[in-house]
Amino acid sequence: MERTLPTMRTTRILAVCVALLPAACNPGAKEARERAAACSDGDAAACNELGWQAFRGEYVLRDWRQAADLFQKACDGRAGEGCVRLARMHTYDAAPRHGVALDSARSAELLREGCDRGALIGCVELGDMYAQPDSVQPEVEAQGVLHDLTRAAELYAEACDGGEMVGCARLGVVYRDGAGVTQDVARALALFRHACDGGSRRGCVRLGEAFAIGAATEADPARAAALFEEACEEDMLGCFNLAKLLVDGEGVEQDSERAVELFDEACDGTLVRGEGSEPLAESCYTLGDMYSNGSGVEANAFRASSYFRRACRLGHQEGCRRS
């Protein structure tokens, strides 16, 4: 039996959202009012989009508690993306003031619901929990999501078969490494190509890595650099890998100044919520090491320490030791 929000609670959420919309005839505000009305009438997709607006503070007051309630209403109405968005809140955005508890078991349940309801990125993110539970939340395994590489591979395949290119990129890594499946580097390369051609920046990064080292294909650093450059627009791992090539002058002209800029970009991450946008601890650490040793930059102990501290905050143990 599916959960439904109490009618009075739902009405209050929508009333607050509508009341806080700008009075001016802004097209965005008008669209938000229409979504609020549609959500009140039971349109799950409208609830999902209105929740996303409340999460971001776009034409409504930013309110994550209301966003969570709207995502729940969307999920109950079988809008899979609402399930996934609420799962992410329970994993990444939990805070008492937001009214959303840190709850990995609930997150896993919501990702499964989202996956079953057509939001295939939910399959991918649930696969990530099975593949590396400790990297998502320290208490995941204790709450019932066990480390299971075979299950992760199945979920990535489910997403890939359904047309989710991020799933194809993940599945490629599984076959490249033989994690939960029989190792098949040629199949991994084909999956990376498919993912990259289908618009996954991480697929392009993984394909570039294969060209960089000559995995199941002839080594081609120039081709790798081009793929990293393409991915760098959104994927921090692409920026990081391109920066490494620029430092060594592999496949591109050596350019330490641009390498530092790209390492810094990858250390900071982007404001994009999605695959590859998170800051990279290894990039912060690399910059700290460069400034510590005066490698490609003028030695600067203060800046080195700053980057090591940032790496440490992102979970890099050696960065903690050197900060």
Side-chain angles (χ1 to χ4, degrees), residues 256 286-301 304 322:
S256 296
T286 299
L287 274 174
D289 195 53
M290 290 175 72
Y291 278 108
S292 177
N293 298 325
S295 176
V297 294
E298 185 176 346
N300 186 317
R322 297 182 67 181

Side-chain angles (χ1 to χ4, degrees), residues 122-181:
C123 309
V124 175
E125 294 183 16
L126 183 58
D128 291 343
M129 293 182 78
Y130 279 105
Q132 294 181 308
D134 291 343
S135 71
V136 181
Q137 292 179 7
E139 74 281 15
V140 169
E141 187 165 343
Q143 292 193 18
V145 181
L146 302 177
H147 185 235
D148 188 338
L149 294 175
T150 300
R151 181 65 183 131
E154 291 171 351
L155 286 160
Y156 296 150
E158 182 179 349
C160 183
D161 290 345
E164 175 53 69
M165 293 298 105
V166 174
C168 298
R170 289 283 205 287
L171 188 60
V173 172
V174 163
Y175 277 102
R176 183 194 67 189
D177 299 341
V181 299

Side-chain angles (χ1 to χ4, degrees), residues 20-40:
L20 292 171
L21 296 172
C25 297
N26 186 294
K30 180 176 182 293
E31 183 177 46
R33 284 193 292 270
E34 290 171 350
R35 283 175 177 163
C39 179
S40 186

Side-chain angles (χ1 to χ4, degrees), residues 14-323:
L14 300 179
V16 171
C17 286
V18 172
L20 292 171
L21 296 172
C25 297
N26 186 294
K30 180 176 182 293
E31 183 177 46
R33 284 193 292 270
E34 290 171 350
R35 283 175 177 163
C39 179
S40 186
D41 289 339
D43 186 332
C47 295
N48 176 50
E49 291 308 313
L50 187 62
W52 187 230
Q53 287 186 259
F55 183 86
R56 293 181 299 172
E58 186 177 83
Y59 300 112
V60 299
L61 182 67
R62 188 180 188 188
D63 188 326
W64 284 6
R65 187 186 300 268
Q66 289 180 11
D69 286 338
L70 286 161
F71 290 148
Q72 182 66 70
K73 184 172 175 64
C75 184
D76 290 341
R78 305 195 67 79
E81 190 176 28
C83 306
V84 173
R85 284 172 167 169
L86 183 56
R88 290 171 178 163
M89 292 190 74
H90 280 295
T91 304
Y92 302 112
D93 304 308
R97 69 181 184 278
H98 298 149
V100 182
L102 184 68
D103 189 341
S104 54
R106 177 70 180 131
S107 180
E109 177 187 346
L110 286 161
L111 290 173
R112 181 69 262 179
E113 290 183 49
C115 177
D116 290 343
R117 294 170 188 180
L120 296 176
I121 193 64
C123 309
V124 175
E125 294 183 16
L126 183 58
D128 291 343
M129 293 182 78
Y130 279 105
Q132 294 181 308
D134 291 343
S135 71
V136 181
Q137 292 179 7
E139 74 281 15
V140 169
E141 187 165 343
Q143 292 193 18
V145 181
L146 302 177
H147 185 235
D148 188 338
L149 294 175
T150 300
R151 181 65 183 131
E154 291 171 351
L155 286 160
Y156 296 150
E158 182 179 349
C160 183
D161 290 345
E164 175 53 69
M165 293 298 105
V166 174
C168 298
R170 289 283 205 287
L171 188 60
V173 172
V174 163
Y175 277 102
R176 183 194 67 189
D177 299 341
V181 299
T182 301
Q183 188 176 36
D184 188 337
V185 179
R187 184 171 183 188
L189 185 65
L191 284 162
F192 294 150
R193 288 185 189 276
H194 179 59
C196 184
D197 291 344
S200 168
R201 299 294 193 185
R202 183 53 58 92
C204 298
V205 171
R206 296 307 185 194
L207 183 59
E209 290 172 344
F211 278 112
I213 64 175
T217 184
E218 186 177 348
D220 188 343
R223 176 67 176 138
L227 286 161
F228 295 151
E229 183 85 63
E230 178 183 348
C232 180
E233 187 175 322
E234 296 176 9
D235 194 305
M236 298 299 95
L237 185 57
C239 300
F240 177 69
N241 287 343
L242 178 58
K244 289 194 294 183
L245 293 181
L246 287 163
V247 167
D248 297 330
E250 293 185 19
V252 290
E253 185 176 347
Q254 189 174 31
D255 188 339
S256 296
E257 185 175 342
R258 184 163 185 236
V260 168
E261 290 175 357
L262 289 170
F263 281 135
D264 194 52
E265 185 174 341
C267 176
D268 286 343
T270 75
L271 296 177
V272 177
R273 168 68 67 89
E275 174 75 2
S277 64
E278 67 280 358
L280 292 182
E282 186 63 29
S283 198
C284 302
Y285 180 81
T286 299
L287 274 174
D289 195 53
M290 290 175 72
Y291 278 108
S292 177
N293 298 325
S295 176
V297 294
E298 185 176 346
N300 186 317
F302 176 80
R303 298 197 72 177
S305 180
S306 175
Y307 281 114
F308 286 142
R309 285 196 300 273
R310 287 162 72 179
C312 179
R313 286 196 297 270
L314 293 169
H316 197 292
Q317 293 305 307
E318 184 64 13
C320 296
R321 190 185 69 80
R322 297 182 67 181
S323 62

